[in-house]
Amino acid sequence: MAETLDPLLPERLDRLAREVLDLAKERDAPIVVAESCTGGLLAALLTDVQGRSHMFERGFVVYSDGAKCDLLGIEREMVDDCGAVSRPVALAMAKGALNRADAGVALSVTGFAGPGGDDDEEGLVHFACVRDGGEPLHRECHYGAVGRDGVRIAALETALEMMRDALRA
């Protein structure tokens, strides 16, 4: 899969990560992330930016349903009723992460990187972003069956764009 990816993508992701961290610094809004399908890749990307990684407060890798509930305080009933890959759970993840950190902005990502089960749409990813005191934002993306790496990398770009936009507002 790596050979089919846009060769400029790593530079674009690095540039977006630096921009997000610069905005976070300008607004004194440290970042917290709650990741499921990206498995910590977003946290790694944000902490790789030399001279700005101090704006990253913490990350939660909550791959299982139980981890979402235990670490972020999401009601198990919500996960069971809505599904872990859903708008309500993505919003609850972002709010839970923000409530458990000394941060100014939180981003959550939950999805099916693939291949999924019979009822799972490969490439479906839900994102939520919330600033301290602000209205939460949600985005639903359908990346398609582009493989696990393709979905996860596309999700990184979307997540960074959402944080950038939230910090600009």
Side-chain angles (χ1 to χ4, degrees):
M1 180 50 151
E3 49 277 358
T4 63
L5 295 175
D6 177 354
L8 300 177
L9 186 62
E11 290 176 31
R12 194 164 61 242
L13 289 176
D14 288 343
R15 189 174 56 252
L16 271 170
R18 180 169 291 283
E19 185 177 359
V20 165
L21 292 164
D22 285 345
L23 286 165
K25 183 173 187 213
E26 287 173 21
R27 285 155 181 68
D28 192 27
I31 296 167
V32 60
V33 297
E35 301 180 71
S36 185
C37 65
T38 51
L41 292 173
L42 182 56
L45 187 62
L46 290 166
T47 57
D48 277 349
V49 179
Q50 188 174 351
R52 289 289 183 267
S53 61
H54 64 281
M55 292 310 300
F56 182 81
E57 208 279 333
R58 72 181 69 175
F60 297 91
V61 177
V62 289
Y63 202 74
S64 71
D65 294 353
K68 289 172 181 67
C69 298
D70 294 345
L71 296 175
L72 300 174
I74 298 172
E75 294 294 325
R76 184 61 190 221
E77 186 175 274
M78 176 191 286
V79 176
D80 291 342
D81 291 348
C82 300
V85 180
S86 65
R87 181 182 195 273
V89 170
L91 290 166
M93 287 171 61
K95 291 175 187 175
L98 192 62
N99 289 336
R100 285 162 175 71
D102 185 18
V105 64
L107 185 288
S108 68
V109 56
T110 182
F112 298 117
D118 291 340
D119 295 328
D120 301 336
E121 176 191 336
E122 185 174 345
L124 171 63
V125 182
H126 285 268
F127 301 85
C129 188
V130 62
R131 281 190 64 182
D132 191 24
E135 287 297 313
L137 306 171
H138 169 262
R139 190 176 297 171
E140 177 179 325
C141 293
H142 300 265
Y143 299 116
V146 295
R148 288 181 69 76
D149 289 345
V151 170
R152 290 164 62 139
I153 290 169
L156 291 176
E157 187 169 22
T158 300
L160 290 168
E161 289 170 351
M162 282 185 76
M163 282 190 287
R164 178 196 62 203
D165 295 347
L167 287 163
R168 283 181 176 168

